[in-house]
Amino acid sequence: MSERVDWTSRPSGPIRGTLTVPGDKSISHRAIMLAAIAEGTSRISGFLEGEDTRATAAAFHAMGVAIDAPAPSQRVVHGVGLHGLEPGKHALDCGNSGTGMRLLTGLLAGQHFDSTLIGDASLSRRPMRRVIEPLTSMGAAIDAESGLPPLRVHGNRSLHGIRYAPPVASAQIKSAVLLAGLYAEGETEVREVHPTRDYTERMLAAFGWPIAFSPGLARLGGGHRLRATDIDVPADFSSAAFFVVAATLVPGSELVIRGVGLNPRRTGLLAVLRAMGADIAEQDRREQGGEIVGDLVVRHAPLRGVEVPLEHVPDMIDEFPILFVAAAGARGITTIRGAAELRVKESDRIATMAAGLAALGIAVRETDDGAVIQGGAFRGGRVDSAGDHRVAMSFAVAGLVARDVVGIADCANVATSFPEFLASAKSVGFAIGITS
Ligand code: S3P
């Protein structure tokens, strides 16, 4: 990872202009993975040039897949077919990325060679039993001390399909099982109580793999082949979310964010912000590579606290850090429940957000699976992002409406998902800078 970087974010004028945010992280990971094991050459445009997705591309390069980068955000992947990967010479480094590691574990469980997966300090603390258990029941052999990375994924196993109901709502678990299912004998089925993002299912279909899926259900059989295809990655809703909240909170703002992926399994935040009083319009909804995209037009509006409905939690799982900031800037109380998953993200997001808000003078009470936030006025102060990209960007938004400067420590990890955040933020009126 890059060197330590701190930011300051100051009270600003209105957030105005037109912005395009980088490509979707989840889709970029999957595009590389499926293109690598497809037959033929796939072109990916809108690829996220972030550390997480580059780590996934580097892992496949290390396994013998030729990947060209003819221009920024473009990749040309020369697929080697389902059985064409070669063992990497070294451990495969997933960096900060839980998605990269968990999906790769499923895919590597079906190979004819052993692999080792490693990650940075944050990823090395994240739970992997959630994929090891279902994959083991498919016949995989995976070693991990205490269920944590590094993972040793053994090859030359014969896998068989399973019917699986993950105990936590997680697209990463579902995807790991489905990717192993490509290599398994018989049928693999995943049933979810709370449907999660369906990008793996959609992309497998786009690459020609027979798959049946609907919200909460995915079913496929082994023994087919993936055929190369071109993928046009939409802009990442999770990156757009910081600007949606910024323009909502700062008086006089009016912002257009173009070409944002609006898959309903990702946009729970829009429903919650609208229930809080936000003024967010969707324009020019269109299809792009099998996904719905649209332009978001956001105008300032005063917010009021809400109880976040449980059914929205999986559809906004990455947006809770910025929702904490929106809630702190609202009138009244916001209650978040059913979001214990936040404790095992890039940081313990309930704890890091609660500590940061408290440092800025906001009354917040942590609970096991959420928080109760009393909206109020942000004063200036110093907060620690704990090396979590989404926490850092969320407090950058808090700084816009604080009474004084907000200092944010440990922001280098923003490069995992949104390397050009500072430039984009400045271009629409953030008063933000680097202090170290
Ligand atoms: C992701 C799924 C989510 C999300 C992560 C990306 C994916 O994790 O938090 O940023 O691409 O599948 P879980 O599915 O484990 O909740």
Side-chain angles (χ1 to χ4, degrees):
M1 204 193 68
S2 353
E3 272 170 28
R4 191 181 162 106
V5 174
D6 296 346
W7 291 348
T8 51
S9 177
R10 295 169 193 277
S12 84
I15 301 303
R16 288 181 162 271
T18 300
L19 194 66
T20 306
V21 297
D24 188 277
K25 181 151 71 73
S26 294
I27 297 178
S28 296
H29 279 296
R30 288 160 171 83
I32 291 286
M33 291 182 187
L34 295 191
I37 55 167
E39 293 171 20
T41 299
S42 300
R43 283 173 185 74
I44 306 171
S45 51
F47 177 74
L48 169 63
E49 297 285 1
E51 288 175 357
D52 280 11
T53 43
R54 286 183 186 208
T56 290
F60 282 92
H61 178 73
M63 291 189 283
V65 181
I67 303 176
D68 309 324
S73 303
Q74 290 190 25
R75 293 294 185 276
V76 179
V77 182
H78 303 277
V80 295
L82 217 54
H83 301 285
L85 295 175
E86 296 162 9
K89 288 197 181 64
H90 309 286
L92 303 170
D93 189 351
C94 300
N96 190 242
S97 177
T99 307
M101 184 172 281
R102 296 196 179 108
L103 270 59
L104 263 173
T105 304
L107 194 152
L108 292 173
Q111 305 304 318
H112 56 87
F113 52 83
D114 296 355
S115 314
T116 302
L117 294 174
I118 59 171
D120 70 5
S122 153
L123 182 53
S124 301
R125 288 191 294 268
R126 295 182 64 187
M128 294 297 148
R129 249 182 215 130
R130 52 180 58 200
V131 291
I132 295 173
E133 277 171 9
L135 294 173
T136 303
S137 73
M138 296 176 80
I142 302 163
D143 302 327
E145 211 170 298
S146 312
L148 297 173
L151 302 183
R152 182 81 179 149
V153 186
H154 297 277
N156 278 322
R157 310 281 304 178
S158 43
L159 304 184
H160 51 84
I162 54 167
R163 296 178 137 210
Y164 191 61
V168 287
S170 165
Q172 297 180 2
I173 301 177
K174 172 176 65 178
S175 301
V177 170
L178 292 176
L179 291 174
L182 304 183
Y183 293 89
E185 174 120 11
E187 215 169 66
T188 296
E189 181 182 287
V190 182
R191 271 184 194 275
E192 300 179 298
V193 179
H194 297 289
T196 61
R197 64 192 73 188
D198 55 4
Y199 298 131
T200 303
E201 298 90 304
R202 286 167 172 274
M203 211 180 285
L204 282 168
F207 277 88
W209 196 281
I211 176 166
F213 64 98
S214 56
L217 175 70
R219 187 187 305 121
L220 55 74
H224 304 282
R225 43 198 350 213
L226 295 165
R227 282 185 299 276
T229 190
D230 295 344
I231 304 278
D232 193 1
V233 182
D236 197 318
F237 179 84
S238 297
S239 296
F242 304 105
F243 294 101
V244 170
V245 172
T248 297
L249 289 179
V250 182
S253 297
E254 179 167 344
L255 184 68
V256 179
I257 314 169
R258 291 217 188 278
V260 182
L262 296 175
N263 181 313
R265 296 277 78 79
R266 292 292 298 284
T267 50
L269 179 74
L270 291 183
V272 172
L273 287 176
R274 284 175 178 142
M276 295 173 80
D279 177 354
I280 307 164
E282 290 163 37
Q283 281 182 353
D284 196 13
R285 273 174 80 96
R286 54 202 184 267
E287 211 204 278
Q288 177 184 313
E291 288 289 334
I292 300 296
V293 304
D295 301 341
L296 297 176
V297 183
V298 190
R299 295 184 183 87
H300 165 69
L303 298 181
R304 53 185 173 272
V306 288
E307 284 201 15
V308 176
L310 279 180
E311 70 267 20
H312 287 322
V313 168
D315 296 343
M316 55 181 291
I317 194 66
D318 291 338
E319 280 61 74
F320 279 98
I322 193 63
L323 179 73
F324 272 64
V325 171
R331 254 188 44 211
I333 292 175
T334 294
T335 309
I336 298 166
R337 287 181 302 124
E341 270 300 286
L342 297 177
R343 295 207 179 271
V344 291
K345 293 293 182 189
E346 286 84 327
S347 71
D348 174 342
R349 286 181 174 163
I350 296 176
T352 43
M353 288 309 302
L357 289 184
L360 300 180
I362 301 293
V364 45
R365 182 167 60 80
E366 268 187 58
T367 59
D368 287 349
D369 65 347
V372 181
I373 301 160
Q374 169 75 60
F378 292 100
R379 56 174 190 241
R382 287 195 61 76
V383 300
D384 188 350
S385 84
D388 185 327
H389 53 138
R390 299 200 197 282
V391 173
M393 291 184 275
S394 297
F395 282 116
V397 174
L400 301 176
V401 285
R403 277 201 296 265
D404 209 340
V405 181
V406 172
I408 311 160
D410 204 1
C411 301
N413 246 15
V414 167
T416 59
S417 68
F418 199 162
E420 60 268 48
F421 176 77
L422 282 183
S424 295
K426 284 180 192 163
S427 79
V428 294
F430 279 57
I432 189 169
I434 295 178
T435 50
S436 60

